[in-house]
Every structure is written in structure tokens, then in C-alpha cells.
Amino acid sequence: MCGIVAAVSSRNIVPILVQGLQRLEYRGYDSCGVAVHDVSLKRARSVARVAELQSQVDAEQIAGGTGIAHTRWATHGAPAVHNAHPHFSHGTGGDALHKPGRVALVHNGIIENHEELRAELKARGYTFQSQTDTEVIVHLVDSLYEGDLFEALRAAIARLHGAYAIAAFCKDEPQRVVGARAGSPLILGVGQGGEHFLASDAMALAGVTDQIVYLEEGDLVDLQLGKHWVLDKAGRQVQRPVRTVQAHSGAAELGPYRHYMQKEIFEQPRAIADTLDGVTGIAPELFGDGAYSLFKEVDSVLILACGTSYYSGCAAKYWLEDIAQIPTQVEVASEYRYRTSVPNPRTLVVTISQSGETADTLAALRHAQGLGMDKTLTICNVATSAMVRECKLAYITRAGVEIGVASTKAFTTQLAGLFLLTLALAQTRGRLTPAEETAHLKAMRHLPSALQAVLALEPQLMAWADDFAKMENALFLGRGLHYPIALEGALKLKEISYIHAEAYPAGELKHGPLALVTSSMPVVTVAPNDSLLEKLKSNMQEVRARGGMLYVLADADTRIESGEGLHVIRMPEHYGPLSPLLHVVPLQLLAYHTACARGTDVDKPRNLAKSVTVE
């Protein structure tokens, strides 16, 4: 979601701040801004793209060696310039203690007690120019400032309830930036010549420094030229390790593709190959040291995830219960953490997250740990993320940087990781024969080639997209293992084309959704040649009998033929348990080309963000 970049340097740091924001654009945002120390506080803010902010910076000749920058995804207050970060403190003109424009601050997260603090600060003479919870923080810091910004921030966060990553500087203390994090990611970058940086994502500092310190929950950090120090949540000075992290900016290049989403759809064969690289056999140690003994102790699986990652977990439930024969529960992370559940200390808690920083999933993980369920594993695309650090075991998918808000290659690589987990648990439980292991590994190695064949269907899906672009509603149907794929297909269509789309298990059609079926309601059906095919064909007949228009992704040997009201695209081959990884790709392409036909902003759909780091 929101992005932070901050710096202390002896040179003009504004080009690095703006470049950092450009590298954080993939997270999603609706406004952006930059502020610097240059005798007084100076800033530029925009509700357009970072490129427009750059034009403002150039026109106003904003420069300085100390600064902060931000991309905002609106929570409190509409996307408007007065709500954009950075925020400045503003007191009453006659109040000597509260000099207007003394403190500048940016913030990711949500402050839950902002209304109470706002009322208190207004009573003390502070004037508010935005509807944001962030402006409460900057005034609170200003009210506590007595010549030491670090101590003022330390006192301020003691009064904050909620989640935050904060970076701030003060015009009375040049060449100093302070920061804090709780529930929202923040990293420290150590640069050349005494430079120091803060950012919400290492990618923001690609090409600037590869020396990264990952701040822990509750840390406060003080950056000055040539030095930095960190206090932990107990107030003790600590040394966090400096790691060398390669965050290549080249991964974000669009290349010959029209949009990042299209590029990432076509990167899936390579992403799957990279994710499976080095897997020569099935062994629990694929998930980390001690995995075998931990797997031997578990008798059930609990999957926690949000959005697309949740749907990958729903698919994995079918694999885990069928192949590994282990009871599996899949929970929406934001619901699980707030409901009363029955903990089982022998449960393997599996979190799934592309970024590894998803706020609801992290909170759900900590909730499960607090209930005594300490056998934890994550499927994640970022090896240095909080999710990986807080779980005992991990499988790192190697999808690479995913810029498009609507996830594609992250989803399929999650499925690949979850299938490996299924096989490892099955082996540990004595449910996987050597012959079955060999067959499954052979099928997984063939996935990149199989995906290439599916991608060749793009022209046929473009023809479907021309029909869908005229619609405002759509239904998606699947059965068994492919119901989660129908859910994912519907999510993709609604995310980027703004067409209302819903998915149902095909057997539920007659229990309500059939009332919606007309000639203007396209019905997409995922039809692999599995044990439920004949049942699915009956559900399709129910649609045709009501004049519905069917769009069917069918395996070659299903004997489903195109006809009036029935459009069929044939998949290259039947792929057994791994079929979901192939069937989801045409649904991604359908959503993508429908969005293109409707002229929407494919990579940055309205109201959405890539990395959801607030509740």
C-alpha cells in the first residue's frame, strides 16, 4: 500500500526520493508527495502520478539533503492534495511553543485513537488542514518536542493505538530523520559517505544501497550523517544486522508488453521453473531445517490468507485432504483473528502472502501463536519479509517482482509451493509411494512447457473479451478443485475491468444463482476432464435451458462442442491434480483483455493497492 522513502545526506537527496517513489508505484497509491529541509520546510504534493510530482519539484526547484517522501492509499480522507503526505505541524500563530511548519512527517498504517488525540490537540491550539489520522501524529510530535526529535517521537508513539511506520524530520535539527514501526514494515538503508535511508520496501533503494537493516516490531530509529542507532520496543539500544539485499530495479521494466499484468502473465512459465529450481526430490527439508520432526508432530493444517492468496489456500485444501489425507481448514485472515476458535497445538499453521507483510495475515499468525499454535510455515515471495522471519518454516516462491495490482504469477507460484507442501506432508505421513512421487515430480517439471501451450490460447481469449467488454455482470462456475479457480477468475475480472463477477460451485447454481441467468449474463465454466465432469455438464445444461451464454474452458477429451450459446476453448492437455495451475491462466488473460477493451487502468485499478499493510 502506502510507500515511504526518507534520507539524510550531504548532497541533494530529492532525485533519490522521487526515484524511490517511482519504484514503489507498484504498491498502489492515489496521491504522493515529497518534503525537504532547506532552511525552512518545503514540499510538493500531487493527486496524479509520481511523474507529475517530479514536474512540480523541478518547477519549484525543491532541493535539500534531508527529506521524506510518500505515496498514499487513502484511508482517512479522500484522495486530495490537502490529505496527501508529507504533513507539516501547524499551531496557532501566537503560540511560541508551536511554531507552524516545524515538523514534517509521513506515515503508513492506521491510528485507531486519532479522534481522541485530534480533539485534545485542537484544544491546545493546533489547526488541522486534513482529514487524515497522520496529521494527528505530526501535531502530537510537535507538541512533545523539546529540542530532541527522537525523544518527541518516542513519547508520541507511546500514545498511539494502531499500526504505523513513521518517518519525520524537524527544521530545527538539520540532517536528522527519525522513524518508528509497529505493524507496518520499515527498513533502514546504509549508504555511501555517511548517507542513511528509510523505506517501506528495499526496492525503493535499488541502485542506491544494498546494505539493508530490517527493523523489528516496535523499533525506533535515529538517522544522522555517518551514524544511526535503534531502540527496541523495551527502550534498549540494539544492533540490528546489516544484510546485503539485491533489489534489482530492472525487474520492474515493462519491456515489449502493453502492461505489467500482461508481462507477468507471460512470465509464469519462468516463474514456476524458478520456484521449482533445485527440487530434485520430495523432502520436508525443502521447507527448512527441522521440518521433518515438525511435520511428524502435526495432525491438521490451518491455512491463513487474504484475497488471491486465500484462493490458493482453498485449492491446497483439496490437495492436502486428498493426497496427504490430513484435515485442513482455510480461513480468511481478517476474520480468523477476530472470532473465537478452538486451538489445536498439533496444527500446522500455514500463512500465504505475496509480500510477506500483509497486515491481516501477520496479525492472524500472531493470534494463532498466542493461542499456543507454534508450528508455523509460510509460503511467501519475499525471503526477507516479516512473515518469513516470524514463521519456523518457509518456502520462498521465486515469482520475482510483481508490479500489477491484480496478482498472477504470485498466485501460480503459491500453488506450486503448496503442492510441494502437500507431497512433503504426504511423504511424512506414509501416504506417498516412490512411484507416486516420481509421477508428481515429472508433472511439475513439465508445468513450464504446459503453461507455454496455454498462453498460446491468447487470441481466442481476446475474442471472448470482446463479448465480455459489453457486459456488466458475469458468473464463474467450477467444481471440486476448480471451484477456487473460478473464484480467482471472478476476482480478476472484477478487479481490473470493474465488471461485477461472482463464482459458485456449479452444483449450487440451482440453489439461487440460476435466477440471474439471462442472455446478458455470461457464464464462464472451468471444465477439466475429472470425476465431476458429467455433473458439471448437467449444470451447464441448466444454464443453456434458461438462455444463458456459456464460455467453457474444456479439456480436449471432454466431448463438449461449441454451438449456439456455447463457446468452447480447448485446453492443450489434461493435467490431473495440477490442472488448476493451467486453468487459471486463461481466466487471467480473459480479465486482462476485457479490461483493455474497456479502457481501464489495468495495472493500477481504482481503489486497490498491491501490498495491503493496513487492516
Side-chain angles (χ1 to χ4, degrees):
M1 276 179 137
C2 306
I4 288 174
V5 192
V8 173
S9 176
S10 57
R11 58 173 166 156
N12 176 24
I13 211 69
V14 173
I16 288 176
L17 296 178
V18 175
Q19 183 183 62
L21 293 187
Q22 290 172 332
R23 290 177 177 158
L24 293 178
E25 285 189 288
Y26 78 98
R27 296 167 71 97
Y29 66 103
D30 43 45
S31 64
C32 53
V34 61
V36 298
H37 187 290
D38 182 16
V39 183
S40 61
L41 303 185
K42 292 185 178 180
R43 70 180 168 189
R45 298 184 291 178
S46 172
V47 291
R49 295 300 182 207
V50 175
E52 199 277 334
L53 179 69
Q54 178 69 70
S55 298
Q56 279 194 53
V57 167
D58 293 342
E60 298 175 26
Q61 298 183 322
I62 294 175
T66 301
I68 54 179
H70 191 264
T71 53
R72 174 179 184 255
W73 186 81
T75 54
H76 297 73
V81 171
H82 67 276
N83 286 325
H85 300 210
H87 287 288
F88 290 170
S89 57
H90 294 277
T92 56
D95 190 337
L97 290 176
H98 306 143
K99 301 175 183 178
R102 180 166 61 180
V103 178
L105 183 144
V106 294
H107 158 238
N108 294 349
I110 291 177
I111 304 304
E112 296 170 359
N113 60 333
H114 69 98
E115 292 181 346
E116 169 192 334
L117 292 171
R118 183 186 298 265
E120 175 187 321
L121 290 161
K122 280 184 174 180
R124 297 176 63 180
Y126 283 91
T127 58
F128 284 78
Q129 300 183 350
S130 77
Q131 288 79 49
T132 67
D133 53 342
T134 302
E135 195 179 2
V136 169
I137 309 173
V138 73
H139 291 327
L140 181 61
V141 171
D142 184 276
S143 73
L144 296 166
Y145 184 73
E146 295 180 351
D148 188 327
L149 185 63
F150 185 79
E151 291 302 322
L153 180 61
R154 185 179 182 182
I157 63 172
R159 301 203 55 199
L160 302 180
H161 300 160
Y164 53 80
I166 295 169
F169 69 89
C170 177
K171 80 177 185 65
D172 296 341
E173 297 184 70
Q175 297 185 322
R176 188 184 199 188
V177 169
V178 300
R181 67 148 297 188
S184 194
L186 192 66
I187 64 165
L188 184 159
V190 180
Q192 300 287 327
E195 292 180 337
H196 284 93
F197 305 89
L198 287 178
S200 49
D201 189 320
M203 191 177 190
L205 304 180
V208 177
T209 181
D210 60 0
Q211 299 300 294
I212 302 297
V213 176
Y214 288 91
L215 300 174
E216 299 293 335
E217 186 75 0
D219 280 357
L220 284 92
V221 61
D222 192 339
L223 309 184
Q224 298 183 38
L225 272 180
K227 58 184 177 180
H228 73 268
W229 59 86
V230 178
L231 296 188
D232 67 12
K233 60 185 175 183
R236 298 169 301 207
Q237 187 168 345
V238 292
Q239 294 291 329
R240 300 290 184 215
V242 179
R243 305 183 187 184
T244 300
V245 176
Q246 299 296 330
H248 297 293
S249 59
E253 298 299 325
L254 185 58
Y257 295 95
R258 185 176 174 186
H259 298 94
Y260 285 110
M261 183 178 179
Q262 184 186 32
K263 174 178 182 279
E264 288 152 11
I265 290 171
F266 278 83
E267 286 176 339
Q268 287 176 111
R270 175 61 183 272
I272 292 292
D274 288 346
T275 296
L276 300 177
D277 185 41
V279 179
T280 57
I282 300 303
E285 283 67 33
L286 289 169
F287 298 86
D289 294 339
Y292 177 78
S293 58
L294 190 148
F295 286 176
K296 290 292 286 185
E297 296 175 2
V298 303
D299 61 13
S300 61
V301 174
L302 170 63
I303 296 175
L304 303 172
C306 301
T308 285
S309 297
Y310 171 75
Y311 294 148
S312 70
C314 290
K317 174 182 171 72
Y318 287 90
W319 290 331
L320 287 161
E321 296 198 335
D322 178 32
I323 299 172
Q325 297 181 33
I326 185 167
T328 300
Q329 185 177 358
V330 188
E331 294 259 8
V332 175
S334 58
E335 290 294 313
Y336 170 76
R337 60 184 288 204
Y338 290 120
R339 75 175 186 83
T340 301
S341 58
V342 181
N344 172 11
R346 292 177 60 84
T347 294
L348 177 64
V349 179
V350 178
T351 62
I352 311 171
S353 172
Q354 189 277 136
S355 67
E357 305 287 352
T358 308
D360 283 319
T361 308
L362 275 170
L365 168 65
R366 293 163 185 161
H367 176 68
Q369 291 169 326
L371 294 175
M373 294 191 289
D374 62 353
K375 298 172 176 62
T376 56
L377 181 151
T378 189
I379 305 291
C380 183
N381 194 42
V382 182
T384 54
S385 65
M387 205 81 70
V388 173
R389 295 196 302 272
E390 294 187 26
C391 286
K392 289 186 175 178
L393 303 174
Y395 192 83
I396 307 303
T397 58
R398 295 171 64 186
V401 176
E402 190 177 61
I403 303 297
V405 166
S407 180
T408 52
K409 62 178 180 175
F411 177 75
T412 48
T413 53
Q414 286 172 354
L415 289 177
L418 288 162
F419 194 74
L420 284 175
L421 175 62
T422 298
L423 298 182
L425 284 169
Q427 184 189 75
T428 304
R429 295 167 61 82
R431 307 291 187 183
L432 187 70
T433 68
E436 288 170 335
E437 176 182 341
T438 299
H440 286 311
L441 283 172
K442 181 180 179 181
M444 294 193 81
R445 292 190 191 103
H446 182 58
L447 274 172
S449 297
L451 285 166
Q452 290 286 8
V454 175
L455 289 167
L457 299 173
E458 185 179 32
Q460 298 177 59
L461 291 154
M462 292 172 70
W464 279 15
D466 288 339
D467 292 344
F468 275 72
K470 305 178 185 75
M471 305 299 178
E472 294 301 327
N473 301 280
L475 290 177
F476 287 70
L477 303 179
R479 296 204 72 144
L481 182 58
H482 292 81
Y483 168 50
I485 300 309
L487 286 165
E488 174 64 7
L491 177 63
K492 287 291 153 288
L493 189 68
K494 72 180 78 170
E495 278 183 314
I496 61 171
S497 75
Y498 313 146
I499 292 172
H500 174 247
E502 298 296 337
Y504 290 90
E508 283 293 293
L509 190 64
K510 56 187 173 292
H511 295 292
L514 198 58
L516 297 173
V517 173
T518 67
S519 59
S520 61
M521 172 74 81
V523 181
V524 180
T525 307
V526 183
N529 189 8
D530 59 17
S531 61
L532 292 171
L533 177 62
E534 294 307 316
K535 299 288 186 185
L536 184 63
K537 285 182 177 179
S538 298
N539 303 139
M540 291 165 56
Q541 289 300 324
E542 293 167 358
V543 173
R544 295 190 71 184
R546 274 76 179 179
M549 301 293 291
L550 279 163
Y551 294 79
V552 184
L553 294 170
D555 284 347
D557 49 0
T558 55
R559 298 189 301 280
I560 300 173
E561 304 294 336
S562 295
E564 185 177 353
L566 178 59
H567 308 271
V568 179
I569 290 179
R570 301 217 171 272
M571 298 290 287
E573 58 184 305
H574 176 56
Y575 223 63
L578 289 168
S579 175
L581 280 86
L582 302 189
H583 274 87
V584 75
V585 175
L587 301 181
Q588 295 169 349
L589 288 167
L590 174 62
Y592 170 72
H593 285 292
T594 301
C596 288
R598 288 169 69 96
T600 62
D601 191 342
V602 173
D603 288 330
K604 299 182 179 68
R606 67 188 182 204
N607 304 333
L608 300 181
K610 181 66 179 173
S611 182
V612 185
T613 55
V614 297
E615 182 179 348

